[in-house]
Amino acid sequence: MKDWLVEIRRRIHMHPELGFEEVETSKFVSEWLEKFGLQVKRGWANTGVVGLLQGRGSGKTVAIRADMDALPLDEVNPVPYASKIKGKMHACGHDAHVAILLGVAKFFMPMKDQVRGNIKWIFQPAEEGGGGGRIMVEEGVLENPNVDAIFGAHVFPFLPYGKVGVYEREGLAATDRFTIKMIGKGGHAASPHVTKDPILATGHLITQIHSIVSRNINPLESGVITVGKVIGGTAFNIIPDEVELLGTVRSLNPQVREELKSKLEQVVQGVARSFGMNYQFDFEYGYPVLINDLKMTELVISACSKGIGKENVEVVKPSMGGEDFAYYLEKVPGSFFRLGCRNEEKGIIHPYHSSLFDIDEEVLPFGVEMFVRIIDQYLGLNIA
Ligand SMILES: [Zn+2]
Ligand SMILES: [Zn+2]
């Protein structure tokens, strides 16, 4: 199947589309699913597609999911299949996820009669911040038939090709964001005494923000607060009226999440008061923590080990990145795992979201095999 998978992946790679705009990708996916004889429903969360294989007799329903969106950056890889669209690139490997799931559909096509239970293919839009997964869950993608378990994978540039990484429980962080405004009183740079300088206050604030995790969170828990953007001022001799800060808060459990939020506001309030100025604090909840079901993770370990040996399945540490697969896992048990796609010899070493990101395409048939083995074991088909 490898040549076919490479062709599929490259075609999607050359035509990247951003979140909720995956019109062509979605059409392409639906056409293949229809060709494979699956029941296809389009229009989920705008561009999402769902395929269903209804097996013989009654049994469980297992779902697998791929994300379809690309990122807003220019590809600089000197490869013949580089992005043809300026400013857009599949720099997170979602092209590979789509190809792998289509490969699983192609695999099951000639053996539909051997499937007991149902297999559902979920192709979602907008994983990169848009929360396409949340919308599909709200629209009922886990119903009709009800999904008993769900599995998803992400290519992983930190593990070599041929290896699978699993998260026992927590896999990815809750990803919240904040906007803070320090509202002072502007004036001449030479007369600070008649102003309230929000730049000085922001300097103190940033330092204090960085003590929140280190002095408030149990060292055995995880948390990150990053101030990623500071906007303020117009000229060297003007004290501005206000300064804005944007940042992100990451955590792996709900208590830490709430604690970070309330400490952050407390610090903003304290610093603003100490400088006699006002503030605005906006906190926006993003993706929840991705939590795998331990039993489903054990199933992934066992099913993948059958194909590649226990030594090639590694338990990996959680990442403070985020993943909207978390929304599916809030509703049904399942497991999200990693497919190594790094190959130092081929120079495939760049991280996600880099303009040089690429995958070792051997991961495509490899990924198909892993999903087939997981489905096989979950539904008890004994075909793998
Ligand atoms: Zn990404
Ligand atoms: Zn991704």
Side-chain angles (χ1 to χ4, degrees), residues 81-101:
Y81 54 86
S83 169
K84 286 189 186 301
I85 299 176
K86 222 184 139 23
K88 295 178 192 175
M89 174 189 176
H90 268 292
C92 202
H94 300 183
D95 50 342
H97 305 161
V98 173
I100 289 169
L101 254 64

Side-chain angles (χ1 to χ4, degrees), residues 243-276:
V243 173
E244 196 174 41
L245 289 88
L246 282 80
T248 183
V249 177
R250 309 288 170 115
S251 54
L252 291 175
N253 86 48
Q255 288 103 290
V256 172
R257 190 181 199 186
E258 287 311 312
E259 219 173 319
L260 291 176
K261 181 191 171 203
S262 72
K263 289 286 175 201
L264 188 57
E265 177 153 28
Q266 192 184 317
V267 164
V268 175
Q269 197 177 38
V271 172
R273 179 172 295 176
S274 72
F275 283 93

Side-chain angles (χ1 to χ4, degrees), residues 357-369:
F357 177 76
D358 202 354
I359 56 163
D360 183 346
E361 288 173 324
E362 295 292 337
V363 74
L364 302 171
F366 179 83
V368 173
E369 182 187 338

Side-chain angles (χ1 to χ4, degrees), residues 140-173:
V141 76
L142 297 172
E143 296 150 30
N144 284 324
N146 284 341
V147 169
D148 296 297
I150 186 161
F151 298 93
H154 203 298
V155 292
F156 197 51
F158 306 110
L159 269 183
Y161 150 70
K163 289 204 184 274
V164 164
V166 295
Y167 301 112
E168 270 178 335
R169 291 273 297 154
E170 290 86 2
L172 289 114

Side-chain angles (χ1 to χ4, degrees), residues 67 69-71 91-94 97 127-129 154 322-323 352-353:
D67 36 17
D69 54 326
L71 285 158
C92 202
H94 300 183
H97 305 161
E127 193 289 319
E128 298 286 359
H154 203 298
E323 192 18 276
Y352 314 109
H353 295 209

Side-chain angles (χ1 to χ4, degrees), residues 39 78 98 100 139 151 176 188 190 241 245 265-266 272 281 293-294 325 380:
Q39 296 170 31
V98 173
I100 289 169
E139 288 177 351
F151 298 93
D176 305 326
H188 199 291
D241 283 323
L245 289 88
E265 177 153 28
Q266 192 184 317
F281 177 74
D293 181 274
L294 189 56
F325 194 73

Side-chain angles (χ1 to χ4, degrees), residues 68-198:
M68 303 188 287
D69 54 326
L71 285 158
L73 77 161
D74 280 317
E75 174 153 19
V76 301
N77 282 316
V79 290
Y81 54 86
S83 169
K84 286 189 186 301
I85 299 176
K86 222 184 139 23
K88 295 178 192 175
M89 174 189 176
H90 268 292
C92 202
H94 300 183
D95 50 342
H97 305 161
V98 173
I100 289 169
L101 254 64
L102 286 178
V104 176
K106 189 177 165 71
F107 176 90
F108 279 103
M109 179 181 56
M111 50 180 75
K112 275 194 203 110
D113 295 340
Q114 283 163 262
V115 175
R116 277 187 316 274
N118 309 307
I119 309 173
K120 204 183 254 194
W121 278 259
I122 299 174
F123 293 86
Q124 72 154 79
E127 193 289 319
E128 298 286 359
R134 178 180 55 79
I135 301 173
M136 287 187 75
V137 169
E138 282 169 7
E139 288 177 351
V141 76
L142 297 172
E143 296 150 30
N144 284 324
N146 284 341
V147 169
D148 296 297
I150 186 161
F151 298 93
H154 203 298
V155 292
F156 197 51
F158 306 110
L159 269 183
Y161 150 70
K163 289 204 184 274
V164 164
V166 295
Y167 301 112
E168 270 178 335
R169 291 273 297 154
E170 290 86 2
L172 289 114
T175 57
D176 305 326
R177 58 171 86 176
F178 60 84
T179 306
I180 297 164
K181 242 184 216 169
M182 297 305 275
I183 307 165
K185 200 173 113 200
H188 199 291
S191 311
H193 58 292
V194 293
T195 71
K196 288 194 165 98
D197 184 356

